[in-house]
Amino acid sequence: MRIITKNKTNKSIVKKKNEQTKERFRDKKNFKLTIVLIVLFGVLLVFSTYAWFSSSLNVQVRTFNVVVDKTSGLFISLDGINFDSAVEINLNTVIRDLRATYPNHTNQWATNGLTPVSSNGITNSDSPEFNMFASNGVLYYKRDQNRENGFVTTEQIVETEPKEFAYYIAFDLFFQNITGSPVSDNLYLDYSSSFVMNADASEEMQGLGNSVRFGIVRIGSVDNDSPANVVQNITCNGQCESIIYEPNSRNHTNLSIERASKYGVTLVNGERFPTYAFRRAGGPIYVKNTVSGSENLDLNYFSLQNTITEENLDEPLFQIPDGITKTRVYLWIEGQDIDSLETESEGAELTVSINFTKDTLGYSTFDE
């Protein structure tokens, strides 16, 4: 009996020692992990600074309506099936209500508000979607007190499925043109279109409203009697073209002018200032090399954003034939716009009204 008891006691002692060893190992391992995490968080820090790279800059879309002039035989649709003279753009109409009629769409809605991104439109005539770029913030080395040495990296956003919490708004819009003419008509953005920040918004947010962009891609056209699956799946076939409209190109607040001067940029209210948007993802890029108009701008990552303004609205966006034309519409805050410099978001509401019209090119040519 004593021998058995002794063996049990020895086993108990050995088991206890093994548990103590494992506990010391776990403590040592956790200590090493803690040290690693401290080092990682100590090397890189995120601060709020220039523009959209590290600020949410939240802009809620209060209302968004699209209207066409049906008297000329022009109608619009969000699914390529149900056409009317007007559509209201919101979370339900561009995402949830399309599940039954247009299940393979890739529309985007900014439920939490528009967050600045950057785009130069499509890259080639086979691209039906804008190249949109986003940043995750500005990084600094801990011991570097010079914020100009903060750096950023950007990534391209991929639109592979519907998204309710996107940074911007994007949706397919179908135009039905009923003319009976063999000649295409010209489609215009009407002068009554508007992008207005609510009157109660601060000067800071009003400046951000001056950074709004509206974009549209013309993808392709089919006959009016084409089935829904053909209409919804229209592709570029090497003929896609895009337009970027800058509605407030000449408006700059005093605050925007003051902040631009810190980067050596002279901004004058009433004068248009060029925007250099991202043309590819990557980095790291020093913040001081990202400012549009700055002599330090890194042209490896940026190129001039070709936009139309209110002065160009008497020129057609593109032509639409008799039939159904598929387009893709974008609404976003352009982070590289000079009016987005160092903005601290307080939240604001944006009211958007897009009105399209067409001329009677087809009719007049056909009559002749």
Side-chain angles (χ1 to χ4, degrees):
M1 292 294 292
R2 283 196 296 269
I3 294 175
I4 295 175
T5 302
K6 184 176 180 180
N7 286 341
K8 287 183 177 180
T9 302
N10 288 341
K11 289 180 180 179
S12 177
I13 293 173
V14 171
K15 183 178 181 181
K16 185 175 181 179
K17 287 183 177 180
N18 288 338
E19 290 177 352
Q20 290 175 344
T21 301
K22 290 179 180 179
E23 186 175 352
R24 285 196 299 270
F25 177 76
R26 284 196 298 268
D27 291 342
K28 187 175 181 181
K29 184 177 180 181
N30 290 337
F31 177 73
K32 287 182 178 180
L33 178 60
T34 302
I35 292 296
V36 171
L37 291 177
I38 290 175
V39 171
L40 288 178
F41 283 110
V43 172
L44 300 176
L45 297 176
V46 178
F47 291 89
S48 178
T49 182
Y50 163 55
W52 58 291
F53 294 124
S54 56
S55 299
S56 62
L57 307 185
N58 170 24
V59 176
Q60 293 285 343
V61 177
R62 185 175 185 177
T63 60
F64 189 165
N65 297 305
V66 181
V67 179
V68 295
D69 181 11
K70 67 178 181 179
T71 60
S72 62
L74 186 63
F75 302 90
I76 51 175
S77 170
L78 292 174
D79 58 10
I81 301 173
N82 303 292
F83 286 88
D84 204 337
S85 60
V87 292
E88 182 176 345
I89 309 302
N90 55 49
L91 173 61
N92 287 328
T93 60
V94 301
I95 301 287
R96 297 173 180 173
D97 294 348
L98 296 179
R99 290 170 181 166
T101 60
Y102 189 10
N104 64 326
H105 75 84
T106 58
N107 294 346
Q108 311 285 298
W109 182 258
T111 298
N112 289 337
L114 299 174
T115 298
V117 291
S118 187
S119 179
N120 258 313
I122 65 175
T123 56
N124 58 66
S125 58
D126 272 318
S127 300
E129 300 172 350
F130 273 31
N131 283 348
M132 309 295 289
F133 299 95
S135 169
N136 293 321
V138 183
L139 300 177
Y140 301 83
Y141 287 103
K142 182 179 180 181
R143 296 181 180 180
D144 192 342
Q145 301 301 315
N146 186 354
R147 288 197 172 188
E148 286 191 353
N149 290 331
F151 57 90
V152 299
T153 58
T154 59
E155 60 182 3
Q156 184 172 346
I157 302 172
V158 180
E159 301 169 8
T160 57
E161 60 184 2
K163 187 180 296 184
E164 296 186 7
F165 294 88
Y167 293 149
Y168 54 90
I169 294 172
F171 56 93
D172 293 336
L173 184 66
F174 301 87
F175 291 86
Q176 185 177 45
N177 190 23
I178 303 175
T179 66
S181 169
V183 181
S184 296
D185 291 326
N186 291 319
L187 183 71
Y188 296 85
L189 190 61
D190 193 76
Y191 284 94
S192 59
S193 300
S194 62
F195 306 77
V196 181
M197 197 74 78
N198 64 298
D200 295 333
S202 66
E203 181 183 12
E204 197 154 35
M205 295 307 293
Q206 291 289 351
L208 189 62
N210 293 333
S211 301
V212 172
R213 297 289 189 276
F214 168 79
I216 184 168
V217 185
R218 181 194 183 282
I219 299 175
S221 304
V222 294
D223 294 336
N224 274 315
D225 58 357
S226 299
N229 66 311
V230 172
V231 172
Q232 293 173 353
N233 291 288
I234 295 173
T235 58
C236 291
N237 290 324
Q239 297 182 349
C240 276
E241 53 184 322
S242 68
I243 294 288
I244 298 176
Y245 175 50
E246 185 179 358
N248 303 311
S249 63
R250 298 179 182 276
N251 298 335
H252 313 290
T253 66
N254 291 331
L255 194 57
S256 294
I257 294 171
E258 176 185 344
R259 287 172 170 169
S261 65
K262 297 178 183 179
Y263 294 88
V265 174
T266 301
L267 194 60
V268 179
N269 188 34
E271 294 183 6
R272 186 179 180 185
F273 191 87
T275 295
Y276 283 80
F278 268 92
R279 65 182 181 86
R280 69 183 181 91
I285 317 164
Y286 283 120
V287 170
K288 62 183 178 182
N289 297 335
T290 65
V291 182
S292 290
S294 168
E295 61 180 11
N296 297 317
L297 185 67
D298 188 345
L299 296 179
N300 290 314
Y301 291 95
F302 304 93
S303 59
L304 180 65
Q305 186 183 66
N306 293 314
T307 63
I308 63 171
T309 68
E310 59 278 4
E311 297 178 350
N312 306 112
L313 294 186
D314 58 345
E315 302 170 8
L317 297 174
F318 42 74
Q319 292 188 333
I320 53 174
D322 181 86
I324 298 175
T325 299
K326 181 180 181 180
T327 70
R328 189 163 179 84
V329 170
Y330 287 83
L331 180 74
W332 77 99
I333 299 292
E334 176 52 59
Q336 281 297 111
D337 189 290
I338 197 68
D339 294 290
S340 291
L341 279 175
E342 297 185 359
T343 302
E344 294 291 341
S345 177
E346 301 169 358
E349 293 183 341
L350 180 70
T351 298
V352 179
S353 179
I354 304 296
N355 298 315
F356 292 101
T357 187
K358 71 168 189 175
D359 63 14
T360 55
L361 176 64
Y363 300 114
S364 60
T365 304
F366 186 64
D367 291 339
E368 294 175 1

